[in-house]
Amino acid sequence: MANEDALRLLCFIGFFLLFLLGEVIFPRKKSFIPKKKRWFGNMALIIISQALIPISLVEASVIFKNKGWALLKDCPLVLEIVILDLAIYFQHRLFHKVDFFWRFHSIHHSDLELDTTSALRFHPGEILLSWGIKLILILSFGISALGIIIFEVLLNTSSMFNHSNLRIPRFLENILRVFIVTPDFHRSHHSMRKNQLNKNFGFNLSFWDRVFKTYQKVSYEDQERIVLGLVKKRDIKDQRIWSLLKGPFY
Ligand SMILES: [Zn+2]
C-alpha cells in the first residue's frame, strides 16, 4: 500500500472512532432506531464503493502530470484546496438539481437518523460520478498530488464531523459555523422539508453557502424538531443494503 493511502486510512479510522466516541458521550439528538438497522448498510456502501474506484485521484494526477492539461500551473496549495472545495459545493447542488444525479444522491438523504456512519452512506454510483467529476477538475486545473491528498483527508474528516450526532456548546457552534460546516449547520440539509433540504450544501467551508445565497440557519431549539430523511422512504426496510443499492433504479 502506498504511503498516502496508509495515511488516509489512518486518518479515516482515527477520526471515525473519535467522532463515534464523541457522539456517544455528547449526543445531540435522541436516537430511536437501533444502530444495527442502519450501520450495516452505511458501512457496506463505502466498502463496495471503494472496491469499484478504478484508480485513485492521486495516481491519476501523477500519471497525467505535465501532459499539458493544467490551467493553473504552480498554483499555491491553499488555492488548490479552496478550488476543490468550491467545486464540491457546486457538485452537491448539481446532485440535488438534476434528477439523474438526485436518484443516486437521494440514497445518502434517505438515512432516517444522522451519525458518523451517515458520512459513509453514498451510493457507489454517486461515488463513481463524483470521482469522474473530480478527475476532470484535477486534470483541468493541474491540482498537485499533495493538494489532492490534503483535500481528500479534509473532506473525509469534515464529512464525518458534520454528519455526526455530536453536541457542540451553542457559543462554540456559533463561532465555528462562521468558518466551517458544523453538525448543526449540515443537519438541516438532511431535513424532510424541501425548503431546508435545498440549503446548506457546503462540506468544508461554510463560506460558499453565504456567498451563493443557499445559507439557512435553523435555531438551536428548532434543531430538535428537524425530521431527518425523505418523505417517500420511511420504512426501516429501505435501510437494507439491497434496497440502498437498487434505490436509484426504481
Ligand atoms: Zn445533499
Side-chain angles (χ1 to χ4, degrees):
M1 186 184 285
N3 284 344
E4 63 267 16
D5 287 338
L7 177 74
R8 280 179 51 197
L9 189 61
L10 206 65
C11 285
F12 172 78
I13 293 170
F15 282 111
F16 181 72
L17 295 175
L18 184 72
F19 295 136
L20 272 188
L21 183 67
E23 64 192 7
V24 167
I25 301 171
F26 306 109
R28 178 67 165 103
K29 274 175 81 101
K30 207 171 172 188
S31 172
F32 296 97
I33 300 170
K35 300 281 184 220
K36 63 180 179 187
K37 299 276 184 194
R38 298 173 39 250
W39 279 21
F40 180 78
N42 289 1
M43 294 192 194
L45 280 182
I46 195 164
I47 292 167
I48 297 167
S49 298
Q50 291 306 306
L52 291 175
I53 289 176
I55 178 175
S56 82
L57 294 171
V58 173
E59 284 172 313
S61 82
V62 172
I63 291 169
F64 287 95
K65 202 177 179 199
N66 299 326
K67 291 280 192 288
W69 286 45
L71 295 175
L72 291 173
K73 277 190 178 155
D74 303 320
C75 176
L77 194 60
V78 174
L79 190 58
E80 289 186 337
I81 291 163
V82 171
I83 288 170
L84 286 177
D85 197 43
L86 176 61
I88 291 295
Y89 165 84
F90 278 113
Q91 180 191 296
H92 194 180
R93 286 186 66 170
L94 178 76
F95 275 65
H96 275 247
K97 189 88 180 161
V98 178
D99 182 63
F100 172 76
F101 291 116
W102 173 249
R103 282 174 169 270
F104 293 95
H105 186 57
S106 65
I107 304 307
H108 176 63
H109 279 271
S110 66
D111 206 348
L112 295 171
E113 289 185 351
L114 281 187
D115 59 30
T116 307
T117 70
S118 309
L120 318 181
R121 182 191 174 106
F122 288 95
H123 192 277
E126 175 169 3
I127 294 290
L128 285 173
L129 286 165
S130 175
W131 172 85
I133 292 169
K134 279 190 271 187
L135 185 64
I136 292 167
L137 276 166
I138 283 163
L139 298 183
S140 303
F141 286 105
I143 306 286
S144 67
L146 184 60
I148 298 166
I149 294 167
I150 292 174
F151 182 73
E152 294 224 305
V153 170
L154 275 177
L155 186 63
N156 287 341
T157 308
S158 65
S159 184
M160 288 190 285
F161 170 65
N162 62 44
H163 285 93
S164 74
N165 191 34
L166 196 58
R167 177 180 290 275
I168 298 172
R170 190 194 296 220
F171 80 95
L172 183 59
E173 205 280 330
N174 278 332
I175 297 167
L176 287 177
R177 71 160 54 219
V178 175
F179 308 101
I180 60 167
V181 176
T182 63
D184 276 14
F185 184 108
H186 191 68
R187 188 174 300 105
S188 57
H189 178 73
H190 280 262
S191 168
M192 213 167 68
R193 289 169 54 184
K194 273 203 162 171
N195 64 330
Q196 293 179 330
L197 170 70
N198 288 312
K199 297 282 180 186
N200 296 9
F201 291 97
F203 267 102
N204 285 307
L205 299 170
S206 57
F207 180 71
W208 308 122
D209 281 297
R210 290 191 181 84
V211 171
F212 297 107
K213 310 264 185 272
T214 51
Y215 175 65
Q216 184 181 65
K217 180 164 184 179
V218 174
S219 75
Y220 200 81
E221 293 75 18
D222 285 346
Q223 287 279 343
E224 296 294 335
R225 287 185 275 278
I226 293 174
V227 180
L228 300 165
L230 298 173
V231 177
K232 287 182 181 169
K233 291 187 177 171
R234 310 299 306 168
D235 198 316
I236 201 72
K237 287 180 190 161
D238 295 327
Q239 304 298 315
R240 291 178 183 168
I241 182 62
W242 179 238
S243 297
L244 298 177
L245 286 172
K246 68 180 184 181
F249 308 106
Y250 72 95

